[in-house]
Amino acid sequence: MAIDFDFTDRFAHRHIGPSEDEVRAMLEALGYDTLEALMEAAIPEAIRTDRPLALPPARTEHGLLDDVILPRVDKEREHNWHQYVIR
């Protein structure tokens, strides 16, 4: 099967996930009728859970950058600049 790398390298396609047709084709190729059946076959029962995961609310990419990543980068810059000035 040939892969069209020009198409697959688009940001939206990489992050939106497979279409319903692609999921159906994958399941057919693997021999499963549903994603649930595939997950039951692939995930050991010992690590499955019936309860919801305790996850924080979803974050946007920009929110994560503004609240977490950029403050760390700024702190590192201040630290590096402080070391440069003192020496």
Side-chain angles (χ1 to χ4, degrees), residues 4-11 13-14 22:
D4 181 358
F5 287 105
D6 289 331
F7 177 74
T8 59
D9 197 32
R10 293 194 185 131
F11 179 85
H13 183 70
R14 289 194 318 262
E22 291 170 323

Side-chain angles (χ1 to χ4, degrees), residues 14-33:
R14 289 194 318 262
H15 295 277
I16 291 175
S19 69
E20 288 182 30
D21 289 339
E22 291 170 323
V23 170
R24 240 185 326 275
M26 174 190 68
L27 291 171
E28 184 179 319
L30 295 172
Y32 294 96
D33 294 328

Side-chain angles (χ1 to χ4, degrees), residues 75-87:
K75 191 172 186 175
E76 286 180 23
R77 285 183 186 151
E78 287 176 21
H79 179 73
N80 291 339
W81 177 253
H82 180 55
Q83 286 181 344
Y84 178 75
V85 170
I86 290 177
R87 291 182 181 181

Side-chain angles (χ1 to χ4, degrees), residues 18-53:
S19 69
E20 288 182 30
D21 289 339
E22 291 170 323
V23 170
R24 240 185 326 275
M26 174 190 68
L27 291 171
E28 184 179 319
L30 295 172
Y32 294 96
D33 294 328
T34 65
L35 284 173
E36 289 78 16
L38 171 61
M39 288 188 294
E40 283 203 21
I43 302 170
E45 191 171 341
I47 64 170
R48 293 185 209 158
T49 182
D50 291 340
R51 60 186 160 78
L53 299 177

Side-chain angles (χ1 to χ4, degrees), residues 53-64:
L53 299 177
L55 299 174
R59 310 268 317 255
T60 65
E61 181 178 0
H62 292 286
L64 183 65

